[in-house]
Amino acid sequence: QVVLVESGGGSVQSGGSLRLSCVASGYGYYGFNAASMGWFRQAPGREREGVAASDCLGRASYADSAKDRFTISRDNAKKTLYLEMNSLKPEDTAMYYCATARGFCTPGLAPASYSYWGQGTQVTVSS
């Protein structure tokens, strides 16, 4: 059973930065190294949307809203996924989730492609 635990959320002012972490456990034979991972967010009244993804080869992809401001990275030795967020805007306010996709190397940013989810960490950006 894969378990994902996010942390690092908080309240910041517009233009500030946060670093989210997602610690993973419960991976089988192929391990975290070959896992496809992603960061997603959901604001009240809105659908969950993909923010950034790191596929099974470690290649990154980003939503247009995240390009040039957010960076996804992973430390395979620590089984941890990160999301560095800079130049935060009020519209970035949301619950942020990490997730992993089973059976896909490059699942992209579609939430439906991901199987296991963390409990989320809240990010609030004030103007």
Side-chain angles (χ1 to χ4, degrees):
Q1 178 73 15
V2 174
V3 177
L4 304 172
V5 180
E6 304 96 332
S7 63
S11 297
V12 297
Q13 291 191 328
S14 182
S17 299
L18 283 173
R19 187 195 197 200
L20 306 184
S21 299
C22 172
V23 178
S25 62
Y27 280 90
Y29 178 80
Y30 292 102
F32 180 82
N33 300 24
S36 302
M37 306 290 298
W39 284 101
F40 299 81
R41 66 187 182 186
Q42 188 167 18
R46 301 191 65 176
E47 292 187 356
R48 190 168 296 188
E49 62 177 0
V51 176
S54 173
D55 73 5
C56 72
L57 299 178
R59 296 171 299 195
S61 57
Y62 298 91
D64 288 343
S65 60
K67 287 178 181 177
D68 300 324
R69 298 189 301 128
F70 295 2
T71 302
I72 189 172
S73 62
R74 58 199 296 167
D75 184 332
N76 289 335
K78 295 182 178 179
K79 297 183 180 178
T80 301
L81 182 74
Y82 301 101
L83 184 68
E84 185 78 34
M85 303 187 294
N86 298 313
S87 302
L88 283 162
K89 305 174 182 179
E91 50 263 44
D92 294 318
T93 295
M95 185 71 80
Y96 282 71
Y97 301 89
C98 73
T100 186
R102 305 301 294 271
F104 292 95
C105 179
T106 309
L109 297 173
S113 298
Y114 290 77
S115 305
Y116 297 94
W117 294 80
Q119 83 290 348
T121 186
Q122 178 68 37
V123 171
T124 303
V125 184
S126 58
S127 57

